[in-house]
Amino acid sequence: MAGELNRLLIVDDESGVRNFLALVAERLGFSVEKAADKKEFITKLHESKPTALVLDMNLPGTSGTELLRYLADKSSPTQVFLISGGDLRAMIAAEHMGVLLGLRMAGILQKPLMLADLEEAFGRVLDIPGNDPDEVGEHETGVYQQFDAGEFHRVQKALAKAEAAYVAASDTNAVSDAYCPKR
């Protein structure tokens, strides 16, 4: 049965977000567990052994990056989606950190959430009986294997430089010039 193969753990401190994600995931065939904080996350992770995880990057008392490190320390095979309404650049850096830690990063979900985006994202990690899960995402895995620590630090520096240029810009023209220099 699909629900046995597809177990999703949703970790978000906003109950409305957890419930919406659960509704979409259950409709696609996932069995769903929900957690609102680090303690619940650890308990549900070990009880339900999820095949996929939606992890909020901004939880009270902890951070998504701390929980990514926890998953890596446990050699978790779960596929991880990062979710936040915050800065996309920080989420991209966290996703790359997850890759470097050896985690199976499934993507980024940006709040506000769109139904079509969620269905597409969850559909990518949905395990359907008869499909070889090792074939799913084969190209993506190869790309991640080529991503080394040096590249991660180059991306971090580029993001910091872009953020500094954005903060320094005082009007929309300056922001536009900072990101699209004239040639």
Side-chain angles (χ1 to χ4, degrees), residues 94-116:
E95 182 181 38
H96 291 308
M97 184 191 90
V99 170
L100 292 173
L101 290 171
L103 297 173
R104 296 177 64 201
M105 303 306 292
I108 292 173
L109 303 171
Q110 184 100 32
K111 295 176 186 177
L113 301 165
M114 303 300 289
L115 179 60

Side-chain angles (χ1 to χ4, degrees), residues 124-143:
R124 285 194 319 262
V125 299
L126 192 62
D127 188 12
I128 301 170
N131 283 357
D132 182 357
D134 292 330
E135 290 180 15
V136 177
E138 186 177 338
H139 170 72
E140 193 170 338
T141 302
V143 171

Side-chain angles (χ1 to χ4, degrees), residues 5-133:
L5 293 173
N6 301 293
R7 296 174 308 278
L8 178 68
L9 175 57
I10 300 167
V11 184
D12 197 299
D13 59 323
E14 296 177 55
S15 63
V17 171
R18 285 192 313 270
N19 293 335
F20 176 63
L21 290 168
L23 181 68
V24 173
E26 287 169 345
R27 204 174 73 197
L28 291 171
F30 284 93
S31 64
V32 176
E33 293 287 335
K34 299 180 266 184
D37 57 34
K38 180 181 177 179
K39 184 179 177 184
E40 279 186 312
F41 160 76
I42 291 171
T43 301
K44 301 277 180 162
L45 179 71
H46 294 288
E47 288 176 354
S48 67
K49 301 194 183 333
T51 57
L53 168 71
V54 175
L55 179 61
D56 186 5
M57 294 304 298
N58 301 307
L59 293 168
T62 190
S63 69
T65 54
E66 179 184 349
L67 298 183
L68 287 173
R69 285 187 187 99
Y70 180 85
L71 289 168
D73 288 344
K74 299 298 178 189
S75 300
S76 176
T78 192
Q79 297 183 73
V80 181
F81 288 102
L82 301 178
I83 186 171
S84 178
D87 186 9
L88 180 59
R89 295 168 297 190
M91 289 178 58
I92 291 169
E95 182 181 38
H96 291 308
M97 184 191 90
V99 170
L100 292 173
L101 290 171
L103 297 173
R104 296 177 64 201
M105 303 306 292
I108 292 173
L109 303 171
Q110 184 100 32
K111 295 176 186 177
L113 301 165
M114 303 300 289
L115 179 60
D117 295 337
L118 285 175
E119 290 174 335
E120 187 274 327
F122 289 163
R124 285 194 319 262
V125 299
L126 192 62
D127 188 12
I128 301 170
N131 283 357
D132 182 357

